[in-house]
């Protein structure tokens, strides 16, 4: 009787294991299906918005994202510097729900589609903004000459934030200069500023200087670069630049999924030169009172880990976090890791 019971138990266990395997298989297929749907939706939206930009005048900023179900990917690995902690689970600790996402050079609001979806699923309120001449903003890139002009959509947004409210700013790459500029002008409306492998410059420093190791000095780049755009004529100073596709893939997307790279190749726009060649004026009384956090990407070919370490040493933030295996675009290559860190920073008292 006992042996028969044991045999039946083993049989049941085997059936249960098979049943669990089937459930896991269905779960994995659903995860892949969700990912595929999310990507197709973003690509469709980007193409539609690109078509609209060819037909209508005016400036617009739009949230890019979806509330489609999307599960965490356990393969995303996160490490933090100066503190080791697991992903936060109690989101009730997050008092401020508004995240304002600022893209980097050549990108647009579209690049945050995974981050927007994840933050919305967590019950937060993300908004991705197109900077001037970027994404579906219809301004001519060649006409954007200053950081103030480039940052205008962000500044306009902050001006409309009620005086008794605050937001969390997240800036990627050269978008870091824009959130630094915003910290200088609206310190009272910004709870935290998060620099994602971004140009967290010091006072009197140009955003371009951060990339000097990769691109050479600003003066040399302005004279010799093959990527320059002369929007006002070849006899006038260059107005922007844009890397070739293969160059962009190597610099920005060395760990990103091929579908996201394809999306970027459709949506990337020229980079206005004036804003990144402008020295920022940052005061201790305004910018210096802001709460800054830096997220390092450890497989970054555009802004090397050494350069990111240098930025942190020269302009120390309140906290430093690191993402293993991420290229320059963690919102593509490690979206879950980026999401967990954003939530963790949001919960810091």
């Amino acid at each position: 009787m006992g042996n028969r019971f044991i045999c039946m138990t083993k049989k049941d266990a085997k059936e249960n294991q098979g049943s669990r395997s089937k459930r896991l298989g269905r779960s994995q297929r659903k995860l892949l299906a969700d990912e595929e749907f999310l990507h197709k939706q973003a690509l469709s939206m980007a193409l539609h918005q690109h078509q609209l930009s060819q037909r209508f005048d005016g400036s617009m900023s739009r949230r890019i994202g979806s509330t489609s179900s999307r599960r965490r990917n356990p393969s995303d690995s996160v490490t933090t510097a100066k503190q080791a902690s697991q992903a936060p689970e109690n989101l009730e600790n997050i008092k401020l729900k508004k995240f304002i996402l600022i893209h980097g050079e050549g990108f647009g609001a579209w690049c945050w589609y995974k981050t927007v979806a994840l933050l919305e699923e967590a019950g937060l309120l993300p908004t991705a903004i197109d900077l001037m001449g970027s994404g579906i903003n219809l301004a001519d890139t060649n006409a954007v000459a200053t950081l103030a002009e480039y940052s205008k959509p962000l500044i306009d947004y902050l001006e409309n934030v009620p005086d008794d409210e605050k937001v969390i700013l997240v800036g990627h790459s050269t978008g870091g200069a824009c959130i630094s500029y915003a910290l200088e002008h609206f310190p009272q409306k910004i709870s935290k500023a998060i620099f994602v492998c971004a140009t967290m410059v010091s006072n009197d420093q140009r955003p371009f200087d951060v990339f000097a190791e990769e691109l050479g000095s600003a003066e040399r780049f302005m004279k010799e670069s093959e990527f320059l755009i002369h929007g006002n004529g070849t006899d006038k100073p260059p107005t922007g630049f844009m890397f070739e596709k293969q160059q962009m893939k190597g610099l920005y997307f060395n760990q990103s999924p091929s579908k996201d790279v394809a999306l970027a190749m459709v949506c990337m726009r020229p980079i206005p030169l004036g804003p990144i060649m402008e020295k920022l004026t940052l005061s201790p009384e305004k910018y210096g009172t802001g709460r800054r956090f830096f997220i390092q990407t450890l497989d970054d070919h555009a802004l090397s880990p050494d350069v990111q370490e240098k930025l942190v040493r020269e302009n120390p933030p309140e906290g430093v976090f690191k993402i293993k295996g991420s290229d320059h675009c963690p919102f593509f290559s490690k979206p879950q890791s980026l999401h967990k860190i954003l939530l963790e920073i949001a919960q810091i008292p």
Side-chain angles (χ1 to χ4, degrees):
M1 183 72 177
N3 288 339
R4 183 169 175 268
F5 179 79
I6 292 173
C7 289
M8 288 179 65
T9 303
K10 288 181 178 179
K11 182 180 178 182
D12 290 343
K14 186 174 182 181
E15 290 177 352
N16 288 338
Q17 184 178 6
S19 177
R20 283 197 299 270
S21 297
K22 288 180 182 178
R23 288 198 299 271
L24 287 173
R26 286 195 297 269
S27 177
Q28 184 66 22
R29 287 194 296 273
K30 188 175 188 307
L31 175 64
L32 293 173
D34 287 345
E35 185 79 25
E36 180 76 12
F37 173 77
L38 189 60
H39 180 86
K40 285 183 177 179
Q41 188 179 53
L43 181 58
S44 174
M45 186 178 294
L47 290 171
H48 178 63
Q49 291 174 346
H50 179 70
Q51 292 167 359
L52 285 177
S53 70
Q54 305 302 313
R55 295 168 51 197
F56 299 102
D57 292 328
S59 175
M60 65 183 82
S61 296
R62 185 170 300 177
R63 293 171 62 186
I64 306 295
S66 166
T67 55
S68 303
S69 174
R70 191 166 184 270
R71 292 178 176 82
R72 285 190 173 89
N73 183 354
S75 64
D76 275 3
S77 69
V78 185
T79 62
T80 63
K82 299 183 181 177
Q83 53 180 311
S85 56
Q86 296 180 348
E89 296 180 357
N90 183 12
L91 299 183
E92 294 179 357
N93 293 333
I94 299 180
K95 303 303 181 184
L96 294 174
K97 296 185 179 296
K98 289 186 178 180
F99 282 74
I100 313 304
L101 309 173
I102 306 302
H103 62 82
E105 69 285 355
F107 293 84
W110 54 267
C111 73
W112 295 105
Y113 78 95
K114 293 180 181 180
T115 301
V116 167
L118 290 168
L119 290 172
E120 285 182 342
E121 286 178 2
L124 303 174
L125 302 172
T127 298
I129 292 178
D130 281 316
L131 297 173
M132 193 68 74
S134 304
I136 59 168
N137 183 287
L138 298 181
D140 181 3
T141 302
N142 294 304
V144 181
T146 67
L147 187 61
E149 293 170 353
Y150 190 48
S151 305
K152 189 175 186 302
L154 171 59
I155 298 305
D156 288 347
Y157 181 95
L158 291 174
E159 284 180 342
N160 290 317
V161 172
D163 291 337
D164 59 345
E165 290 186 13
K166 289 190 176 185
V167 301
I168 296 175
L169 292 188
V170 182
H172 170 243
S173 200
T174 57
C178 297
I179 64 174
S180 293
Y181 182 83
L183 274 173
E184 181 66 20
H185 288 79
F186 292 98
Q188 75 282 5
K189 293 187 177 182
I190 300 168
S191 170
K192 296 166 185 172
I194 304 173
F195 295 75
V196 181
C197 52
T199 52
M200 189 176 64
V201 298
S202 302
N203 180 49
D204 205 35
Q205 186 179 16
R206 295 176 293 196
F208 185 91
D209 294 338
V210 176
F211 294 92
E213 182 177 293
E214 178 66 35
L215 302 176
S217 69
E219 292 73 23
R220 181 179 176 184
F221 183 83
M222 293 284 281
K223 291 180 181 178
E224 302 177 8
S225 176
E226 59 185 304
F227 306 112
L228 293 173
I229 297 171
H230 292 262
N232 298 324
T234 55
D235 58 330
K236 300 290 178 58
T239 53
F241 70 97
M242 189 170 189
F243 297 118
E244 294 176 351
K245 288 187 176 181
Q246 285 306 119
Q247 186 91 358
M248 279 194 286
K249 289 178 181 179
L251 282 174
Y252 296 132
F253 311 117
N254 49 292
Q255 295 293 340
S256 293
S258 58
K259 293 177 181 179
D260 290 322
V261 179
L263 173 65
M265 293 302 100
V266 172
C267 300
M268 296 288 280
R269 288 181 63 180
I271 303 159
L273 202 54
I276 65 172
M277 292 296 182
E278 181 179 325
K279 292 182 179 180
L280 272 74
T281 300
L282 303 172
S283 66
E285 298 78 20
K286 294 181 179 179
Y287 170 84
T289 61
R291 300 185 67 186
R292 292 176 290 110
F293 300 83
F294 197 95
I295 300 176
Q296 297 180 350
T297 44
L298 300 186
D299 198 7
D300 195 325
H301 291 181
L303 199 64
S304 73
D306 288 343
V307 172
Q308 294 182 47
E309 286 284 355
K310 182 181 178 183
L311 287 177
V312 168
R313 287 196 308 270
E314 293 179 348
N315 192 7
E318 181 175 330
V320 178
F321 298 78
K322 299 181 181 182
I323 304 179
K324 289 182 177 179
S326 175
D327 56 22
H328 195 57
C329 300
F331 40 74
F332 289 157
S333 59
K334 291 291 182 181
Q336 296 286 353
S337 297
L338 175 62
H339 174 67
K340 290 174 184 177
I341 292 175
L342 293 180
L343 294 186
E344 185 168 353
I345 294 173
Q347 292 189 82
I348 296 174

